[in-house]
Amino acid sequence: EYNKPAVYWYNQILKQISMNQIDQADDTFTSLESEHRNSPLIQPAMMILVKAHMDEEEYEMANYYLDEYAKRYALSRNMDQIFYLKIKVKFMSFGSKFRDQELIMRILDEIKEFKVNYSDSEYIYLVKTIESRVLMTKSTFDKEISELYKRVGKEEASKVYDQKARDTFKDQ
């Protein structure tokens, strides 16, 4: 299919998402975007696809659409929402069985940036809640590393991580 009006493509995206055909909805979005570059329907379609990918736990795709949204609509009034969603997507992608210190630090850095740039945002309390949960995870993770070092007889390293675990909430 080609050469259809923007509203046709938009409705197709909604239909495909409602039928849980997220990959087809992505392809349809490409048609909407390529045939109607300046359509006002692109912006809401991107946000719908973000939500659909988050619901399907496809966090990389959700983040892709958020990045694209941020590039195109950087002057938009809802940029605090976009950055909140980016933090939320990273947080949701963090599974306890795939502990990733680098991801924890990236989330905390983005939260710090959000708090500086959007301190009066309506999303600030949601971001602070995510921050608390990430900090608890970091503290627990540091404590587990400390215990591991203690079990293998590395007392100095154990003390360093034990102190890190205790200091987690100091600057918050």
Side-chain angles (χ1 to χ4, degrees), residues 25-36:
D26 290 332
D27 293 341
T28 303
F29 177 77
T30 302
S31 297
L32 169 64
E33 187 178 38
S34 62
E35 289 186 23
H36 304 282

Side-chain angles (χ1 to χ4, degrees), residues 107-119:
I107 294 170
L108 291 172
D109 288 344
E110 287 186 21
I111 288 171
K112 197 177 295 181
E113 186 179 336
F114 185 94
K115 288 167 61 176
V116 167
N117 293 330
Y118 304 106
S119 59

Side-chain angles (χ1 to χ4, degrees), residues 9 26 31 34 48 51 59 87 90 104 114 116 126 140 146 150 166:
W9 295 121
D26 290 332
S31 297
S34 62
I48 289 168
K51 178 72 171 115
Y59 302 116
I87 290 167
K90 280 191 179 73
I104 289 172
F114 185 94
V116 167
L126 294 170
T140 301
S146 171
K150 187 179 272 184
R166 281 190 256 129

